[in-house]
Amino acid sequence: MIVSRPLSPSEHFYRSRNSSGFYKSFQVTATYTNPIPQPLLSRALRKTVLDYHLLVCNVVPKNDDHWYVPLPRVLLEDLLECHSLEEFLTDGVINERFMKYANEFSFRFSDNKPLFRVLQLGDRNLSVIFEHTIADGLVGNYFHEILVENLALVEEKASDDTFLSAYGPFDDLGMKSVIFDCERDYNLIKNSLHPPIDDFVPLPRPSVVTPVNSALPMWPGRFPCSRDNVLAFKLINIDAQQARLILAKCKANKVTLTAYIEAVIVYSMQPIYGKNHYSTCKLPIALRRFIDPAKTDPQYHDILNNPKYKILGTSAHGGIAEVFEPLSEFSWELVQRIGANLAKNVQNKELMNAFFAFTTPELAIGNSPEFFEAQMRPTTQDTMKFSNLGLIDVPMYNSWSITNMVFSQDVSPPAADFMLNLVSTKVGGLNFVFSYADNKFEEGRENFDDILTAFRENLIKFAQ
């Protein structure tokens, strides 16, 4: 079993980006069907970290590299914060105040603390906040899918001697409860760490930049890149009934929901972009589709061949930007073009070339703020990033399930002027979070509420 291992080049990129202060964290909040008492949550978290011990690892220097290493001891207070219902929830859903609070979490490496944190909001909402080296966005919903099943299982097997023996002793000491003790629990770790995504794709090599095919200059962006940005987080909900109508229209036109949303948000942003520039929209791509047990060490085969095991870690890539000339109208032909390009891009194994610099010892071992500082140009790399975690359909485990999710994240200053995040559930519908810097505004503008209203209306109108 692989309990510790060195980081790969792509993992070094995320480690160095966080260490250099160019990204903080992301969060996914879920609403559970039942109130979650703390003793039950403590036990479910213990089972979760023994099944997926990456959650109780930190990243530390070792053997002229950086390694995932289990922490000596983790208490419940190292993992959990509790907040009142009124502070961060509006009508039972997290609000902008909470998302701003969550976005200030910045995890430290070589520290005796985990690289994730759970926030309990009221009695039914849990938010999980992750450092990006150990998790991409999909791991946010994976965590909730794992945890809700464990809540039901721990509740059901509270007096099952076989189960209790498999997951060891638990002292109910409130926030001082020991969730993980490496010396005591080492033999209770159930699985190897995940393999790096780098194992399954060609080695990174210098990439060739394809020139943009546009007669127009790129939209110059709102302001020069700045590390002083304070982000706004605007939640937009499309309820479950409306979401079903949108999905049906996409199906009738043989396009994906992701392609439809990309077309609608770019069209809705035209008052900002204007008629004299092209814009870009980039979708991060999860590379887990390339995972093949035959291409990695035998110690990983058990988890990779287990269809119920969820692969944690980061397999995310920033994606390939779609280029848009000014749009005067919406069309389904545009959506189909976007969809065709997405289908091609997700099969591109050469995406890892973006991490080529981190195959060099200087960047792989050290913290490299100069690498990221070099990207701080007058304009961002892309106009917008759009990250879609998809439809999260959680089964009912006894009486336990999840009815709603919301996803938000930090934005690296040179990455984009705007960020759109999406996660959906059958009950809660589509939850978008639109982010932008709100510590300064263009003359005559105090927010982007008009754009977001148009976006929501257009999503519904074009699907009718």
Side-chain angles (χ1 to χ4, degrees):
M1 187 181 297
I2 297 176
V3 176
S4 298
R5 68 163 175 82
L7 271 60
S8 67
S10 65
E11 291 168 331
H12 276 299
F13 167 84
Y14 291 104
R15 177 195 60 78
S16 184
R17 186 177 68 167
N18 278 23
S19 294
S20 302
F22 279 84
Y23 187 91
K24 299 187 188 80
S25 57
F26 68 89
Q27 72 80 32
V28 178
T29 299
T31 305
Y32 289 67
T33 50
N34 298 327
I36 307 168
Q38 191 177 101
L40 182 65
L41 177 58
S42 300
R43 288 171 168 79
L45 284 170
R46 175 167 170 78
K47 181 182 184 302
T48 300
V49 303
L50 289 174
D51 290 339
Y52 298 87
H53 78 278
L54 174 67
L55 297 170
V56 284
C57 286
N58 202 301
V59 174
V60 301
K62 179 181 176 182
N63 298 341
D64 294 327
D65 207 331
H66 285 79
W67 286 56
Y68 292 124
V69 175
L71 294 164
R73 202 165 195 245
V74 178
L75 305 181
L76 182 61
E77 66 183 8
D78 298 323
L79 298 178
L80 180 66
E81 279 187 21
C82 299
H83 294 272
S84 69
L85 190 68
E86 297 81 12
E87 187 176 8
F88 289 138
L89 299 179
T90 302
D91 298 327
V93 181
I94 60 168
N95 53 32
E96 182 179 22
R97 183 178 176 185
F98 171 75
M99 288 184 270
K100 281 178 173 280
Y101 175 79
N103 197 60
E104 291 307 310
F105 274 80
S106 184
F107 297 92
R108 295 171 57 188
F109 300 116
S110 301
D111 188 15
N112 279 329
K113 300 292 182 184
L115 296 173
F116 85 106
R117 195 155 180 82
V118 177
L119 278 64
Q120 186 164 14
L121 312 169
D123 62 353
R124 294 173 189 257
N125 284 276
L126 294 178
S127 174
V128 61
I129 304 175
F130 277 108
E131 190 279 322
H132 214 319
T133 308
I134 70 162
D136 54 27
L138 287 174
V139 176
N141 58 267
Y142 285 174
F143 177 86
H144 288 294
E145 293 173 76
I146 294 164
L147 185 65
V148 72
E149 184 175 6
N150 285 341
L151 285 165
L153 192 61
V154 169
E155 184 178 64
E156 178 186 350
K157 296 185 177 293
S159 58
D160 185 317
D161 291 340
T162 302
F163 179 82
L164 295 175
S165 174
Y167 287 94
F170 184 85
D171 298 322
D172 187 2
L173 302 173
M175 296 298 281
K176 298 295 183 182
S177 298
V178 179
I179 302 299
F180 177 79
D181 183 293
C182 190
E183 183 176 352
R184 183 191 70 184
D185 297 331
Y186 191 90
N187 291 328
L188 296 176
I189 292 173
K190 298 296 187 284
N191 300 290
S192 287
L193 291 172
H194 65 290
I197 192 63
D198 311 53
D199 282 4
F200 306 99
V201 291
L203 289 173
R205 55 187 177 83
S207 57
V208 177
V209 178
T210 303
V212 173
N213 183 21
S214 174
L216 298 173
M218 182 177 178
W219 184 65
R222 298 184 62 204
F223 305 103
C225 299
S226 172
R227 297 181 67 168
D228 298 326
N229 286 348
V230 177
L231 295 180
F233 297 91
K234 303 299 182 181
L235 178 63
I236 308 150
N237 174 258
I238 300 292
D239 68 35
Q241 181 179 359
Q242 292 169 322
R244 286 192 290 271
L245 295 175
I246 292 172
L247 286 166
K249 189 72 171 181
C250 289
K251 185 176 181 180
N253 283 276
K254 299 180 180 179
V255 296
T256 64
L257 176 65
T258 297
Y260 174 67
I261 291 166
E262 184 173 349
V264 175
I265 188 60
V266 173
Y267 173 79
S268 302
M269 294 290 291
Q270 288 306 300
I272 305 299
Y273 303 155
K275 299 179 180 180
N276 300 315
H277 301 94
Y278 77 85
S279 63
T280 61
C281 186
K282 183 176 285 185
L283 278 79
I285 295 172
L287 303 178
R288 285 177 177 81
R289 61 180 49 82
F290 296 126
I291 291 178
D292 179 353
K295 294 183 178 180
T296 190
D297 294 338
Q299 293 96 320
Y300 295 122
H301 289 181
D302 282 350
I303 60 174
L304 298 185
N305 288 314
N306 181 354
K308 292 185 176 181
Y309 189 85
K310 297 185 183 298
I311 307 300
L312 304 190
T314 288
S315 72
H317 179 272
I320 297 173
E322 185 81 16
V323 176
F324 293 90
E325 300 286 320
L327 299 179
S328 59
E329 62 181 6
F330 169 86
S331 72
W332 287 98
E333 289 77 12
L334 171 66
V335 182
Q336 289 164 351
R337 186 197 87 192
I338 294 169
N341 287 341
L342 281 175
K344 180 176 65 175
N345 290 341
V346 298
Q347 298 302 324
N348 183 0
K349 290 188 176 182
E350 300 296 325
L351 289 174
M352 296 299 283
N353 291 342
F355 301 113
F356 173 75
F358 287 84
T359 61
T360 64
E362 296 79 19
L363 290 182
I365 295 173
N367 297 328
S368 308
E370 66 280 358
F371 176 87
F372 300 97
E373 290 285 359
Q375 302 172 37
M376 297 287 285
R377 299 181 290 269
T379 59
T380 54
Q381 295 170 9
D382 291 293
T383 314
M384 176 174 291
K385 289 187 180 293
F386 168 35
S387 184
N388 182 9
L389 302 188
L391 173 64
I392 313 304
D393 187 11
V394 179
M396 184 69 74
Y397 301 101
N398 297 332
S399 62
W400 288 91
S401 190
I402 286 170
T403 59
N404 199 27
M405 283 191 179
V406 180
F407 167 42
S408 64
Q409 64 174 313
D410 193 25
V411 182
S412 183
D417 282 283
F418 303 101
M419 168 74 83
L420 185 67
N421 292 299
L422 170 63
V423 63
S424 55
T425 58
K426 288 188 174 180
V427 176
L430 307 176
N431 279 323
F432 297 91
V433 174
F434 186 80
S435 300
Y436 55 88
D438 69 347
N439 51 309
K440 53 185 175 181
F441 279 96
E442 299 82 345
E443 184 176 354
R445 179 172 288 279
E446 297 180 355
N447 55 53
F448 289 94
D449 291 358
D450 57 326
I451 300 298
L452 300 184
T453 298
F455 170 58
R456 189 181 187 282
E457 291 174 349
N458 288 336
L459 280 172
I460 297 169
K461 178 176 69 175
F462 296 142
Q464 290 174 342

